[in-house]
Amino acid sequence: MVPVVLAYLADAWELLKPAVKIILDDEYKSVDIPCTKIYMAVQRACFADADPETVQVHIFGLIEQECEPHLASVLQSLAKQISDDPSVLLPLVHNCWLDFRRKMLFVSDLAMYVTCNEYTLWDGCQKLFHKQLSMTSQLQHQVITAILGLITDERSGKTTANNTSDFLKNLMEMFLGLSRYVFEKPFLDSTSKFYSEQAEKILQQSDISNYLKYVEGVFHAERKKCREHYFFFAACCLQLPRVLERQLLVAHVSFLEEGFKLLMDESLIDDLGRMYRLFSREDYLLHYLDRSLKSYILAKGEGARQEGSLHELHTSIDKIWRRCFFEDELLDKTIRDFFEGMGLHVPGQWECSED
């Protein structure tokens, strides 16, 4: 930077530095801050350089350096108050985060000319909070564990989303932008463990119909939470359905295949439609349903052929295919191939068929 820019920058920082300290120390209610003067000084320093971004980045660095020891002291003090009781720990951390965020938004407003493409002063200060929190590793570990416990309580019905929504969103925001191993992996591991245990409990007291309703409800609830709670973590929201599929569907495919036979025998339309919606989420899941359908046709087909009722069996399955499987092409091919393999002519979709 040329000397005139450095001079303007020094003038701006001479005004901005004490203002940042006043804000961090919560003294701005009793001490006047020359907001307009600071803004004009920062603007003049940025405009004086041919590359304003260079000046902006420099001011970012100065503000972060000023904030770092203050934040380190606050978090170290908080670490000394560590409690194993989440109801004590989380409110302390929550209030600390909101207080720091409030102060940084104030500083950001004060130096509002300082923007750098998509990077803002708030982004930098957020990363600073992450950095200092990670340096108090025991505190960070306990906070993450407590947040996951709160999510588990909400999932199990011990707390309601209405009571924890904003609280949880604010806490999770602290970990935005960190390595996936800091929050994302523990979150997904905790989710997997919870639903693995829940599925086992539900299976012990439910039939196929109730289990399918439970699974569909879980997917709906978790999709809603992704929109309201976890939207900070796009990777979590992308991977969460895969975790649910593994623990609620794939892990219990034998039970579901047996249940499929019962649903088909009794033509339980709503449940078969629900099963198709769950298994048609991904191609690899649909193949499990296709396998169940193949087994069912083989098991019923031989007896129906001997009794001369193969056409009636096909008509029954075709109705289910139309009403419950939404005329799925893969399942259509399975039905067609297996019945034709047993000697029954299956009309094409353009031919007249019995509804």
Side-chain angles (χ1 to χ4, degrees):
M1 285 183 280
V2 297
V4 66
V5 176
L6 290 173
Y8 285 150
L9 182 60
D11 290 344
W13 184 239
E14 186 176 351
L15 292 169
L16 186 55
K17 180 179 179 179
V20 171
K21 187 176 187 308
I22 288 170
I23 292 170
L24 291 175
D25 293 340
D26 270 330
E27 296 178 350
Y28 55 87
K29 293 181 180 179
S30 57
V31 179
D32 289 335
I33 297 176
C35 299
T36 302
K37 195 173 181 180
I38 291 170
Y39 172 73
M40 295 301 295
V42 171
Q43 187 181 49
R44 183 174 60 176
C46 291
F47 275 136
D49 196 87
D51 182 12
E53 188 173 311
T54 302
V55 181
Q56 293 165 7
V57 170
H58 193 75
I59 295 175
F60 282 151
L62 292 173
I63 294 173
E64 289 176 16
Q65 287 174 24
E66 189 68 19
C67 293
E68 189 163 10
H70 170 84
L71 182 58
S73 174
V74 170
L75 288 176
Q76 286 168 11
S77 175
L78 189 61
K80 294 175 183 177
Q81 304 176 54
I82 284 179
S83 169
D84 292 331
D85 183 353
S87 67
V88 175
L89 174 65
L90 288 183
L92 287 174
V93 176
H94 179 258
N95 291 337
C96 175
W97 167 244
L98 291 187
D99 183 64
F100 180 71
R101 188 174 69 177
R102 173 181 57 81
K103 291 173 179 176
M104 289 305 98
L105 288 174
F106 193 167
V107 173
S108 182
D109 288 342
L110 195 61
M112 58 185 169
Y113 186 75
V114 183
T115 58
C116 178
N117 297 327
E118 295 181 357
Y119 187 79
T120 65
L121 174 61
W122 169 237
D123 295 317
C125 291
Q126 193 173 33
K127 290 179 181 179
L128 177 60
F129 191 93
H130 298 156
K131 175 184 174 183
Q132 292 301 321
L133 183 62
S134 66
M135 292 177 70
T136 51
S137 56
Q138 184 183 0
L139 175 62
Q140 177 173 278
H141 173 73
Q142 287 198 262
V143 168
I144 291 174
T145 300
I147 290 174
L148 296 178
L150 186 63
I151 292 172
T152 296
D153 285 347
E154 187 180 290
R155 283 170 169 159
S156 59
K158 294 179 182 178
T159 60
T160 64
N162 290 337
N163 293 335
T164 60
S165 180
D166 290 340
F167 184 63
L168 192 54
K169 281 192 289 187
N170 287 331
L171 287 168
M172 293 179 72
E173 187 186 29
M174 292 190 300
F175 300 98
L176 180 63
L178 288 182
S179 163
R180 65 179 297 270
Y181 293 99
V182 175
F183 186 83
E184 179 187 322
K185 187 177 185 303
F187 169 77
L188 293 173
D189 289 345
S190 173
T191 299
S192 180
K193 181 176 184 293
F194 174 78
Y195 281 115
S196 174
E197 294 172 352
Q198 283 296 108
E200 292 293 343
K201 292 178 182 177
I202 298 296
L203 284 170
Q204 291 175 11
Q205 54 191 352
S206 295
D207 56 17
I208 181 64
S209 179
N210 287 325
Y211 184 72
L212 290 172
K213 290 175 184 175
Y214 164 73
V215 174
E216 189 174 53
V218 167
F219 274 101
H220 174 75
E222 291 295 334
R223 185 166 56 249
K224 182 179 179 182
K225 287 173 189 172
C226 272
R227 292 195 302 267
E228 297 177 356
H229 290 2
Y230 318 143
F231 61 90
F232 300 118
F233 303 93
C236 283
C237 291
L238 287 173
Q239 295 184 58
L240 186 57
R242 307 293 87 78
V243 171
L244 300 179
E245 289 161 8
R246 286 196 301 272
Q247 297 302 340
L248 300 178
L249 297 175
V250 178
H252 304 289
V253 71
S254 296
F255 168 81
L256 292 165
E257 286 178 341
E258 285 300 312
F260 177 80
K261 297 175 186 177
L262 175 64
L263 300 181
M264 291 292 287
D265 283 344
E266 299 186 10
S267 296
L268 297 178
I269 301 302
D270 289 344
D271 292 326
L272 285 166
R274 185 172 291 111
M275 194 173 209
Y276 176 77
R277 289 193 298 273
L278 290 170
F279 278 88
S280 62
R281 297 173 54 84
E282 297 288 339
D283 288 344
Y284 85 96
L285 288 174
L286 186 58
H287 283 285
Y288 286 109
L289 188 60
D290 185 51
R291 187 175 71 185
S292 297
L293 181 59
K294 289 175 181 176
S295 298
Y296 183 80
I297 295 173
L298 282 174
K300 296 292 182 178
E302 185 57 37
R305 182 165 57 180
Q306 292 177 4
E307 296 171 1
S309 58
L310 200 57
H311 176 72
E312 287 77 6
L313 177 63
H314 174 266
T315 299
S316 173
I317 293 176
D318 186 66
K319 285 182 178 179
I320 290 172
W321 171 72
R322 293 176 186 279
R323 296 182 62 184
C324 307
F325 302 157
F326 300 93
E327 301 187 0
D328 185 278
E329 292 184 4
L330 175 64
L331 303 184
D332 176 47
K333 185 176 185 305
T334 292
I335 295 169
R336 182 180 303 280
D337 290 349
F338 273 66
F339 275 99
E340 288 184 347
M342 288 184 280
L344 179 71
H345 169 65
V346 179
Q349 293 187 45
W350 59 86
E351 300 178 55
C352 293
S353 60
E354 190 177 341
D355 286 323

